[in-house]
Amino acid sequence: MVCEKDPLVQKITDLYDQISTLDSLKPSKDVNMLFTQLVLTCMPPTHIDVTKLCKKVQQMRSKLIRLCGEAEGLLETHFSTILASYDNPLHHLNIFPYYTNYLKLSQLEFNILTKHCSNVPNKVAFVGSGPLPLTSIVLASFHLKTTSFHNYDIDPSANSKALRLVWSDPDLSRRIFFHTTDVMNVTNGLKEYDVVFLAALVGMDKDEKVRVVEHLAKYMNPGAVLMLRSAHGARGFLYPVVNPCDLRGFQVLSIFHPTDEVINSVIIARKFPMPRHCSAEHPVGPMKLPNKCFDIDMFNPLLNPVNLMEELDIEDQLS
């Protein structure tokens, strides 16, 4: 059990105390400094397992994740507004301070997807795209150049800002679409997508995340791919952790834990084929792999730039 006496936890708690007393989480000198310190504190590999925190630290972690989510949304809103002031917003994406991270994360996700999918996806959904949908933009621009991307967000203002970034581009304006709705209200429409990305901050706690995953498992097409973002080690103080055990109805294919400045872990899973006597409306129940949870080693993709596929396959774990 990890408690508040742990030096790393003490440092994170101190930063939480300072962040939680800020008048605003909008980008500013103090906000930027504190969140930079927090990220740098949580990045290095650590012994901490956030699922084994004592109750007091776990409560602090939950609050901190929500503060991080709010700050991230405000940061994206701020830069999306600035980008929209340009005639060609997509030519200036590098003004966003974490654009390079998105380039690396999207490259990683594309490589993962390519390894486990033999065909280029025709339609992709991104759930929780926000005002600055960089994943869809980067994948559509550099990796999946014929694929259409459908972005879902419950905030109409976020979608309005995001739309302004792509509508001047003759290619992406025809392939990137925005839907203002809660994905929990999307049912048969999910069957259209070959791949569904689930943003890290969709489902801020375990119960909420599980409900979303179960909804996707119910309505996604059998054989379709789910890409989720998670966190590992102390990075779990920044983002919710997705446990493979919670992906009921999906076969977990691989899990990736970067150790560089790309913060999010990546999980790729495939929707189980639907038994003939079962339907989305009357499922027979969740299907699980024989061993429910897995210990996956961390890796640094920058150490092997040519072969980025040194993940641990779940199938290999079972053999």
Side-chain angles (χ1 to χ4, degrees):
M1 185 71 70
V2 180
C3 289
E4 54 264 52
K5 291 184 180 180
D6 183 276
L8 179 58
V9 171
Q10 286 181 337
K11 187 171 182 179
I12 293 172
T13 301
D14 177 62
L15 288 167
Y16 163 75
D17 290 338
Q18 295 180 66
I19 290 171
S20 62
T21 59
L22 291 169
D23 293 331
S24 170
L25 294 179
K26 292 181 178 179
S28 68
K29 182 179 179 180
D30 289 341
V31 169
N32 297 346
M33 177 189 69
L34 286 172
F35 277 102
T36 298
Q37 289 181 17
L38 178 64
V39 170
L40 292 176
T41 299
C42 294
M43 275 179 56
T46 176
H47 64 284
I48 287 181
D49 180 350
V50 295
T51 65
K52 298 179 180 179
L53 301 173
C54 65
K55 184 176 180 180
K56 182 177 180 181
V57 177
Q58 193 64 264
Q59 290 174 341
M60 179 275 292
R61 171 181 170 260
S62 296
K63 294 175 183 177
L64 181 57
I65 287 174
R66 292 187 181 277
L67 291 172
C68 289
E70 181 181 349
E72 184 173 312
L74 291 169
L75 181 71
E76 291 185 0
T77 296
H78 175 75
F79 279 95
S80 183
T81 302
I82 294 174
L83 285 165
S85 67
Y86 292 100
D87 292 335
N88 296 293
L90 300 184
H91 295 175
H92 303 275
L93 293 177
N94 60 354
I95 70 170
F96 183 62
Y98 300 107
Y99 179 59
T100 300
N101 290 33
Y102 274 93
L103 290 176
K104 292 179 180 179
L105 178 59
S106 296
Q107 178 71 63
L108 174 61
E109 290 175 326
F110 172 71
N111 288 348
I112 296 169
L113 193 60
T114 300
K115 180 171 184 180
H116 293 283
C117 297
S118 56
N119 299 320
V120 176
N122 182 44
K123 294 180 71 174
V124 169
F126 193 98
V127 180
S129 48
L132 191 58
L134 285 176
T135 297
S136 293
I137 290 173
V138 171
L139 287 174
S141 299
F142 303 115
H143 304 297
L144 300 173
K145 297 183 179 182
T146 61
T147 302
S148 63
F149 289 80
H150 291 255
N151 298 275
Y152 288 85
D153 202 284
I154 60 174
D155 184 358
S157 175
N159 278 340
S160 177
K161 288 180 171 59
L163 180 60
R164 292 191 184 100
L165 303 182
V166 301
W167 65 12
S168 64
D169 186 272
D171 175 30
L172 297 193
S173 61
R174 296 196 303 267
R175 291 194 293 122
I176 296 184
F177 307 92
F178 299 92
H179 306 274
T180 303
T181 186
D182 187 335
V183 73
M184 298 297 286
N185 297 325
V186 183
T187 55
N188 291 330
L190 289 169
K191 298 183 187 301
E192 300 177 10
Y193 302 113
D194 305 305
V195 181
V196 175
F197 283 80
L198 185 62
L201 294 173
V202 174
M204 298 290 278
D205 58 42
K206 179 176 179 177
D207 290 342
E208 186 180 350
K209 183 80 74 175
V210 167
R211 283 195 297 272
V212 175
V213 170
E214 288 180 345
H215 179 78
L216 295 175
K218 183 177 181 180
Y219 290 106
M220 282 174 61
N221 214 31
V225 168
L226 177 63
M227 300 281 289
L228 306 96
R229 292 173 182 176
S230 180
H232 185 72
R235 299 170 186 223
F237 283 95
L238 307 174
Y239 290 101
V241 173
V242 178
N243 195 318
C245 313
D246 298 327
L247 301 182
R248 302 175 65 183
F250 291 93
Q251 177 191 12
V252 178
L253 302 175
S254 297
I255 304 174
F256 300 75
H257 295 312
T259 58
D260 63 344
E261 65 269 27
V262 175
I263 301 300
N264 290 120
S265 300
V266 179
I267 301 174
I268 181 169
R270 179 173 285 117
K271 167 78 178 289
F272 275 114
M274 191 74 73
R276 291 182 180 179
H277 60 281
C278 164
S279 68
E281 288 72 26
H282 300 93
V284 295
M287 300 177 68
K288 299 181 181 179
L289 291 178
N291 55 336
K292 297 179 181 178
C293 297
F294 315 94
D295 293 322
I296 308 299
D297 291 336
M298 294 182 292
F299 78 104
N300 187 339
L302 297 183
L303 297 179
N304 297 285
V306 176
N307 179 11
L308 202 58
M309 294 286 92
E310 292 191 359
E311 84 282 13
L312 295 182
D313 287 322
I314 298 303
E315 292 155 353
D316 294 339
Q317 292 280 313
L318 296 175
S319 61

